[in-house]
Amino acid sequence: MHLVALDSDIDFAGWRAAARRLALGHVKPAEVSWTVRGDEPELFAPAALPPPPAVPEASFNVPAKFVELAQNVILHSDPQRFALLYRVLWRLRANHEFLQLASDPDVAQLSTLARAVRRDCHKMKAFVRFREIGREPNNRFVAWFEPAHHIVEATAPFFARRFADMAWSILTPEVCAHWDGHSVMFTPGVSQAEAPSEDRLEETWLTYYASIFNPARLKVKAMQAEMPKRYWRNLPEAALIKPLIAQAGRATGAMIDTAATEPKTSMQRREPPMKHRATTDHDDNAGAASLAALREQAADCRACPLWKDATQTVFGEGPHHASVMLVGEQPGDKEDLAGQPFVGPAGQMLDRALRDAGIDRGKVYVTNAVKHFKFVPRGKIRLHQKPTTPEIRACRPWYERELAAVRPALVVALGATAAQSVLGKITPINKTRGRLIDTEGEAEHPVQVLVTVHPSYLLRLPDEDAKAREYDRFVDDLKIVAKYLKRKDAA
């Protein structure tokens, strides 16, 4: 039996070198025991690895996909991951297409571990909360986090890019990451008692969090799935979650009571199914499951480089049988942090315009052409950057799959980026604005399209008169949507 002791839990280079020598020495997976140095059994000494091949050319290649998976899986906390990786490597030598067999237990387990690691990295990016220690210019920001896997070293560069201008430390039980403005360094883990409990900005953050909490859009199960309770104890806002949930029903009722008292139209009543889209409970359940599956798949999207700096994928949301789909450009700073589309200033502008046009946002599906936030850091601010054509094309399959799952009758493209994604070509706003475009024969899922401006365009206008004028034009465009829906309801 060959006992291989790696230098650390994330020693990919050591595992790779040992695995290559073992495979070239024809050592079967059952003849190898893997461990981490310091955890070796005391009664057994590791057998020597096979010597390096005498002929340098005596080597072999594996698919790049396996290397990427292995680099991910080795960060998992499962002690059997090293053996699993070597077993898959051994089988790849006999069948180079082995990773395509998704039903194979080893391949399925490999994918499960890799997905768990990516999810843990996402949780770390989303749920780390820094607290300020000291005062400028000698202040430092410190956070406590408890990862499920060995992801700190892999995820720390994200925080170095995201918070490049501030000195910070992320403390965890296993290893701590520190940034001084120039480089990241790591020290042994510490106990939570060494982490700060609060700072002078905490009250401001809690006030802000409570103010953006929208009771009308509360989905407790979805929130708990995305933010499991194990993370709540490390979040300053956790103390607000239960009372905010408890108050949601009353708050929603108050919102309804204070709404404008206008005669109800068909748009304000529950929409009946349209004739060409008759649905059943089975269809509704299938549609909801389809969108849930798409959302989970999109969380791991690596189709373009934007995922590297973004906090998370921001997928669409809304009824899975919506008659109207609104497509924006990309998530902004607030959306990137919240994981929801149109919740920042542009979202507030959109909500206002929808109300003025007589459209209930809760009845439309809202998404973006590009699902990751593209930005450049400027001090503590992340400045929005317009997506490029390759980035729009890379993300278009997600829009197409959302379109196929929701099957709306009308798509509203908010801005040039959205129009390019929806229509598949660069589309001038002013030449196409304010009229319905029929995509019959031009798309796999034909819909009618309305092109208008993005609400952020209104926010950027410096002149108040121009802003008011353009806002009215935007509402007029959305009234076309309202009239369209009214005709569909009456049909």
Side-chain angles (χ1 to χ4, degrees):
M1 174 66 70
H2 294 268
L3 177 62
V4 181
L6 302 176
D7 287 340
S8 71
D9 286 300
I10 59 172
D11 183 14
F12 176 73
W15 175 88
R16 187 176 191 174
R20 180 173 291 276
R21 288 180 63 179
L22 289 165
L24 290 173
H26 306 289
V27 178
K28 297 178 180 180
E31 300 172 356
V32 185
S33 179
W34 299 84
T35 187
V36 175
R37 203 172 302 282
D39 295 336
E40 305 98 324
E42 295 182 2
L43 298 179
F44 299 94
L49 289 175
V55 182
E57 290 77 12
S59 186
F60 61 92
N61 295 317
V62 295
K65 180 181 178 181
F66 173 73
V67 177
E68 181 181 350
L69 275 171
Q71 289 173 322
N72 235 333
V73 168
I74 209 147
L75 304 181
H76 202 278
S77 57
D78 187 343
Q80 300 302 315
R81 65 194 182 279
F82 306 117
L84 171 65
L85 287 170
Y86 183 59
R87 190 162 63 246
V88 172
L89 176 69
W90 180 267
R91 298 178 68 184
L92 273 173
R93 294 191 67 192
N95 179 5
H96 210 64
E97 304 300 322
F98 170 60
L99 289 180
Q100 305 301 322
L101 304 177
S103 60
D104 183 273
D106 283 344
V107 176
Q109 178 68 359
L110 200 66
S111 299
T112 297
L113 297 188
R115 188 162 53 249
V117 168
R118 288 194 295 267
R119 184 169 179 80
D120 204 30
C121 290
H122 160 66
K123 296 301 181 188
M124 182 172 177
K125 294 175 184 177
F127 298 135
V128 158
R129 294 289 186 271
F130 287 107
R131 290 179 163 112
E132 187 177 18
I133 304 299
R135 297 279 184 152
E136 293 186 88
N138 300 314
N139 60 336
R140 187 173 190 86
F141 293 84
V142 182
W144 171 260
F145 188 71
E146 299 174 59
H149 306 292
H150 310 293
I151 62 164
V152 176
E153 289 93 330
T155 313
F158 164 83
F159 291 95
R161 295 189 299 269
R162 175 69 176 83
F163 303 104
D165 65 330
M166 70 186 210
W168 52 258
S169 296
I170 300 176
L171 312 180
T172 82
E174 183 178 275
V175 62
C176 300
H178 311 274
W179 170 256
D180 61 3
H182 302 285
S183 61
V184 178
M185 64 175 292
F186 302 98
T187 58
V190 297
S191 69
Q192 188 173 6
E194 298 187 44
S197 58
E198 60 182 28
D199 68 3
R200 60 191 177 92
L201 299 177
E202 200 115 311
E203 185 175 350
T204 302
W205 164 244
L206 294 178
T207 302
Y208 170 74
Y209 182 84
S211 70
I212 65 172
F213 187 86
N214 187 343
R217 299 173 65 191
L218 176 63
K219 298 177 181 177
V220 176
K221 290 184 178 179
M223 183 185 73
Q224 290 178 344
E226 186 62 27
M227 186 171 63
K229 286 189 175 181
R230 67 183 294 263
Y231 297 104
W232 289 21
R233 62 182 179 272
N234 300 325
L235 301 177
E237 64 270 24
L240 296 177
I241 293 176
K242 285 187 177 181
L244 286 173
I245 291 175
Q247 297 167 12
R250 294 192 297 273
T252 302
M255 290 170 64
I256 295 172
D257 292 340
T258 57
T261 56
E262 296 179 355
K264 288 190 174 182
T265 67
S266 59
M267 272 302 298
Q268 293 169 305
R269 296 190 296 268
R270 181 174 178 83
E271 296 180 20
M274 289 186 292
K275 291 182 178 179
H276 72 288
R277 294 177 63 235
T279 60
T280 65
D281 290 341
H282 174 76
D283 294 330
D284 287 348
N285 292 336
S290 176
L291 278 176
L294 286 178
R295 183 174 289 104
E296 183 176 349
Q297 294 165 18
D300 295 331
C301 182
R302 303 292 186 267
C304 75
L306 295 184
W307 67 271
K308 295 181 180 179
D309 293 327
T311 303
Q312 58 193 308
T313 303
V314 180
F315 204 69
E317 66 176 23
H320 56 269
H321 50 70
S323 299
V324 173
M325 176 183 286
L326 303 182
V327 182
E329 179 189 76
Q330 65 161 350
D333 181 80
K334 297 293 188 296
E335 290 79 6
D336 175 68
L337 297 174
Q340 295 177 287
F342 285 97
V343 295
Q348 295 170 15
M349 178 69 76
L350 176 63
D351 287 348
R352 174 189 162 199
L354 287 172
R355 287 194 301 270
D356 289 346
I359 300 173
D360 181 355
R361 172 166 170 167
K363 294 183 179 180
V364 300
Y365 186 87
V366 183
T367 189
N368 281 298
V370 175
K371 310 298 190 203
H372 285 111
F373 180 33
K374 181 179 182 180
F375 65 92
V376 291
R378 289 290 184 270
K380 296 181 180 180
I381 299 174
R382 298 189 294 176
L383 294 181
H384 162 279
Q385 292 289 291
K386 184 179 177 64
T388 63
T389 293
E391 290 159 352
I392 297 171
R393 288 174 179 167
C395 217
R396 193 168 192 266
W398 293 116
Y399 159 72
E400 293 174 338
R401 295 172 74 181
E402 284 178 295
L403 191 67
V406 179
R407 300 187 66 81
L410 176 65
V411 172
V412 181
L414 302 171
T417 296
Q420 182 178 348
S421 176
V422 170
L423 297 173
K425 58 184 178 182
I426 295 176
T427 304
I429 299 297
N430 290 332
K431 290 184 179 181
T432 54
R433 183 177 183 178
R435 61 184 176 87
L436 297 179
I437 302 171
D438 198 334
T439 63
E440 188 75 38
E442 300 178 12
E444 184 177 350
H445 304 284
V447 293
Q448 288 193 294
V449 176
L450 177 72
V451 176
T452 185
V453 296
H454 194 282
S456 63
Y457 161 73
L458 306 175
L459 296 173
R460 293 193 299 268
L461 293 173
D463 182 77
E464 291 301 320
D465 290 338
K467 183 176 293 187
R469 186 169 58 251
E470 287 301 314
Y471 175 78
D472 289 340
R473 286 190 66 194
F474 183 49
V475 172
D476 287 342
D477 289 342
L478 294 179
K479 286 181 178 178
I480 297 174
V481 179
K483 291 178 182 178
Y484 179 89
L485 287 172
K486 190 174 182 178
R487 290 197 304 270
K488 287 293 183 181
D489 285 341

